[in-house]
Amino acid sequence: MITDSTSLTTLQSRLLKIRARTEQICKPLEPEDTVVQPMIDVSPPKWHMAHTTWFFEEFILKPYLPGYKPFHPSYSFLFNSYYNSVGNRVQRSERSTLTRPPLRDIYTYRSHVNEYLTKLLDNPDEAILAQLLPVLELGLQHEQQHQELLLTDIKYILSTNPLLPAYTSGKNTKKSESVPAQFLPVPGGIYTIGYQGEGFSFDNELGVHDVLLQDFEVMNRLVTNGEYLGFMEAGGYADFRFWLDEGFNLVKTLNWESPLYWIRKGNTWQRYTLHGLQELDLNEPVSHISFYEAHAYANWAGKRLLTEFEWEAASQVYPPQQGNFSDAGILEPTSAKPGEAGMLELFGDLWEWTYSAYHPYPGFTTAAGALGEYNGKFMINQMVLRGGSCATPADHMRTTYRNFFHPDKRWQFTGIRLASK
């Protein structure tokens, strides 16, 4: 446990650094950008900034700082996300109605909460500190989750603007080289699944257990734009044989013909990125696809998707190297590098769809109180993704990290890794 002033100072520094990163992500935006909500899955950036601040106020300052008075009496209603235990809230689909309070008030709110968090950590009671530290760590991890959501939501928001504005400049537009696809063996056997370290993990990573796997092979890199284009040109979106029925019905209803953000210009394809509209690089990994599309492509290619247990086993056999995370500032997936051996792009670049439903591990328990609503109540009708993405903070990721989305979602940085056998 943290007991000395040096450790507390380090914690304060980390807290303020993570909090500042959220505002850095929003800095390139115009005020008008911060209130837009073009679909229910996307939250306005202003709401993200306020909600992550509310989290610290609600779960740290109110219970652990004697005499603390909330910044505004209405903010708990305005910026609660889904915590029924806390009380009523603005519904998710209505977050764009919050043109007030103005953006400047949200920045003041963030500064206010940062000030009182720092005061709380200046000279805390040891017994109180022992109680609040796990909640504070959850708050920091929660804010990093929202930093990833901010980048994905900002991309979708800007993509709906007819001007297709760039969020930032700086991506190298030099065409990449191709890396041959290889299938690497993973021996069958008993693998231990789940988080076993001393540091932080989410409750959905706990319940360490063994699984028995058969021999399988895993693709050394992610599926590329060029490979996926082959599926499209072969009529993949029109051939029901490759699709789950629910997915094929969605394709027909929504007229999907390509991944999200692909735009046809004559006989060529371009792709909207956080750096603006760019020519499609055939060697970069295909991104922003649903589970249904990933599954259909795998069928067309004569392969399959990994289960989440196979993914974690592969990460044990071929330990992932430092990948392309948001810290690099590239903010788009990059192609595998020629000449590199082993499992490429396993960590960072794109979240990888697995053919595993999001269910609890053995022995999973829900925490008491509002924080028990964090993960457990979402363990239905969603699929697990692994590996992190170019929008994920590097120090937020572990090989046991279980992300989850409904199988139709495409606005996240999602991609495909194939398995064989």
Side-chain angles (χ1 to χ4, degrees):
M1 188 183 78
I2 293 176
T3 56
D4 61 275
S5 58
T6 301
S7 298
L8 283 172
T9 300
T10 301
L11 178 60
Q12 287 176 330
S13 176
R14 178 168 168 251
L15 166 68
L16 296 177
K17 180 180 179 181
I18 288 176
R19 296 279 290 156
R21 174 59 182 154
T22 300
E23 295 177 26
Q24 291 167 2
I25 290 172
C26 293
K27 187 175 181 180
L29 301 177
E30 298 294 341
E32 293 84 354
D33 297 326
T34 69
V35 295
V36 178
Q37 186 181 23
M39 68 172 178
I40 190 172
D41 297 311
V42 166
S43 294
K46 186 175 78 172
W47 183 90
H48 281 291
M49 286 193 286
H51 167 69
T52 50
T53 305
W54 166 86
F55 190 98
F56 285 107
E57 183 176 63
E58 184 65 34
F59 297 119
I60 298 290
L61 295 181
K62 285 184 180 180
Y64 296 114
L65 185 59
Y68 176 77
K69 295 181 180 179
F71 180 79
H72 193 285
S74 296
Y75 279 18
S76 184
F77 167 70
L78 295 178
F79 302 123
N80 177 7
S81 55
Y82 52 70
Y83 295 91
N84 294 308
S85 303
V86 174
N88 292 331
R89 61 195 182 277
V90 174
Q91 293 302 304
R92 183 173 184 172
S93 60
E94 302 301 319
R95 290 171 184 170
S96 64
T97 65
L98 300 178
T99 56
R100 305 293 177 91
L103 182 61
R104 61 179 177 274
D105 286 9
I106 301 306
Y107 280 109
T108 303
Y109 179 37
R110 291 183 64 84
S111 296
H112 169 89
V113 167
N114 286 351
E115 177 186 350
Y116 281 92
L117 286 171
T118 302
K119 286 182 179 179
L120 176 61
L121 295 175
D122 275 341
N123 188 27
D125 177 89
E126 188 172 329
I128 291 178
L129 185 64
Q131 296 176 48
L132 73 82
L133 281 178
V135 186
L136 181 64
E137 182 61 42
L138 179 62
L140 294 173
Q141 299 288 333
H142 168 261
E143 181 130 358
Q144 289 185 302
Q145 285 184 315
H146 276 270
Q147 289 167 2
E148 177 164 359
L149 285 168
L150 264 168
L151 289 167
T152 53
D153 288 359
I154 287 168
K155 183 172 183 177
Y156 191 86
I157 287 168
L158 296 180
S159 77
T160 63
N161 187 306
L163 298 176
L164 294 176
Y167 164 73
T168 184
S169 60
K171 182 174 184 292
N172 185 1
T173 57
K174 180 181 178 181
K175 289 295 179 291
S176 57
E177 299 179 53
S178 63
V179 173
Q182 299 177 355
F183 282 84
L184 306 179
V186 179
I190 296 175
Y191 289 86
T192 300
I193 302 298
Y195 185 73
Q196 302 179 72
E198 296 295 324
F200 175 85
S201 69
F202 288 110
D203 57 3
N204 65 5
E205 301 170 60
L206 301 177
V208 175
H209 60 288
D210 292 336
V211 298
L212 175 62
L213 300 177
Q214 302 299 315
D215 292 348
F216 68 97
E217 295 181 342
V218 58
M219 194 168 170
N220 65 320
R221 58 162 173 76
L222 297 168
V223 171
T224 66
N225 288 324
E227 289 166 336
Y228 196 84
L229 185 60
F231 165 71
M232 292 165 52
E233 292 176 341
Y237 276 91
D239 195 330
F240 71 89
R241 295 175 299 169
F242 305 126
W243 294 82
L244 295 167
D245 186 64
E246 189 175 89
F248 193 62
N249 287 334
L250 195 65
V251 166
K252 291 187 293 184
T253 300
L254 299 180
N255 296 316
W256 284 353
E257 297 180 340
S258 66
L260 182 64
Y261 301 130
W262 284 32
I263 299 172
R264 190 192 293 273
K265 295 287 187 178
N267 295 323
T268 63
W269 286 95
Q270 294 184 326
R271 187 172 71 89
Y272 180 75
T273 74
L274 282 167
H275 311 280
L277 195 62
Q278 296 186 347
E279 184 180 344
L280 186 71
D281 186 333
L282 298 181
N283 296 320
E284 288 181 353
V286 63
S287 60
H288 296 289
I289 59 168
S290 67
F291 168 82
Y292 296 126
E293 291 164 295
H295 177 267
Y297 175 85
N299 282 341
W300 174 81
K303 306 297 181 182
R304 62 176 179 85
L305 301 179
L306 293 97
T307 68
E308 70 163 316
F309 303 132
E310 289 174 330
W311 191 98
E312 193 165 326
S315 76
Q316 295 173 22
V317 175
Y318 301 98
Q321 303 172 8
Q322 178 70 22
N324 170 25
F325 290 105
S326 63
D327 311 59
I330 300 172
L331 304 182
E332 291 290 339
T334 55
S335 61
K337 304 300 186 292
E340 292 185 347
M343 193 70 63
L344 309 179
E345 305 172 305
L346 194 72
F347 223 35
D349 281 300
L350 293 173
W351 288 103
E352 301 174 21
W353 285 108
T354 71
Y355 209 145
S356 291
Y358 180 48
H359 289 158
Y361 285 170
F364 175 83
T365 57
T366 300
L371 293 178
E373 299 184 57
Y374 201 97
N375 277 318
K377 69 182 186 180
F378 300 111
M379 292 177 171
I380 186 68
N381 297 333
Q382 308 203 64
M383 304 302 287
V384 174
L385 303 99
R386 292 298 194 103
S389 81
C390 56
T392 310
D395 64 355
H396 181 63
M397 186 48 50
R398 299 165 296 283
T399 54
T400 57
Y401 194 116
R402 304 173 75 203
N403 203 354
F404 52 94
F405 284 104
H406 291 96
D408 62 311
K409 303 309 179 189
R410 309 205 298 170
W411 96 109
Q412 289 294 315
F413 285 93
T414 50
I416 312 170
R417 188 181 298 275
L418 298 178
S420 182
K421 297 184 180 180

